[in-house]
Amino acid sequence: MRRLAAYLGACLLVALAPGPDNCFVLAQSAAFGAWAGLCVTAGLVSGLCLHITLAALGVAALLKRWPRAADAISALGACYLFYMAWGMWGAGLGTARAEALGPLGFWLRGVLLNLSNPKVILFFVAFLPQFLPEGCRRRALGLLGLGALFALCAALVMAAFALAGGGLAAFLRANPAAAVWAGRAAALAVAAIGLWVLWPILRRLRP
């Protein structure tokens, strides 16, 4: 029980730490409402579950062997975020735009953001095994179980960010002048997340 309690505490700390996922959920829910943020959260958790499954299956060895492939995926994800930020800057906030995108569109945004950093798999390879019971024979199954608990903690934290952003969206709908600037701030936040994803690659490319 102590090991499990320590693990859940660590999961909450990791989930609460400032990062691109939490910032993206907050930006999307502030721009389009809590329901949009919750759809993004569902997409992020879906991507997280895929990362956890791949980590349990040993895909991390492939990433270590072909790090450039992982960098290419991250770069494509960053480009998508820049494209999204450009569209948000031009269109601003608006319920009509959110309805046109729909729940599936926001879910897909979350999936693409999470999968834009395939090296998350390496994080899980380093993080999850520390909490496996000694002598665990079914290692892959144990990693999947721990990963599911982590995904649940992350989902709860990101849902809280979505609801907080939804409260901000309600205020902005009542204040159109502030909504214009908030829309541009949300676009800049998404662009900053793209740079966050791209920056480690750019640093490695420096001579």
Side-chain angles (χ1 to χ4, degrees), residues 95-186:
T95 55
R97 186 166 178 267
E99 290 172 0
L101 191 58
L104 183 60
F106 284 107
W107 175 84
L108 187 59
R109 283 186 172 188
V111 172
L112 291 175
L113 173 61
N114 197 267
L115 296 185
S116 69
N117 187 7
K119 293 183 180 178
V120 171
I121 299 173
L122 297 175
F123 165 77
F124 284 120
V125 169
F127 178 67
L128 298 182
Q130 301 178 51
F131 300 94
L132 283 175
E134 295 181 7
C136 180
R137 295 182 179 180
R138 298 184 178 181
R139 180 181 176 85
L141 190 60
L143 291 175
L144 287 174
L146 291 175
L149 289 175
F150 180 88
L152 178 60
C153 290
L156 293 174
V157 169
M158 287 188 288
F161 274 93
L163 294 176
L168 179 58
F171 167 78
L172 293 173
R173 282 195 294 271
N175 297 271
V180 174
W181 292 103
R184 293 184 175 181

Side-chain angles (χ1 to χ4, degrees), residues 85 88-89 181-194:
M88 291 176 66
W89 182 274
W181 292 103
R184 293 184 175 181
L188 290 174
V190 172
I193 294 168

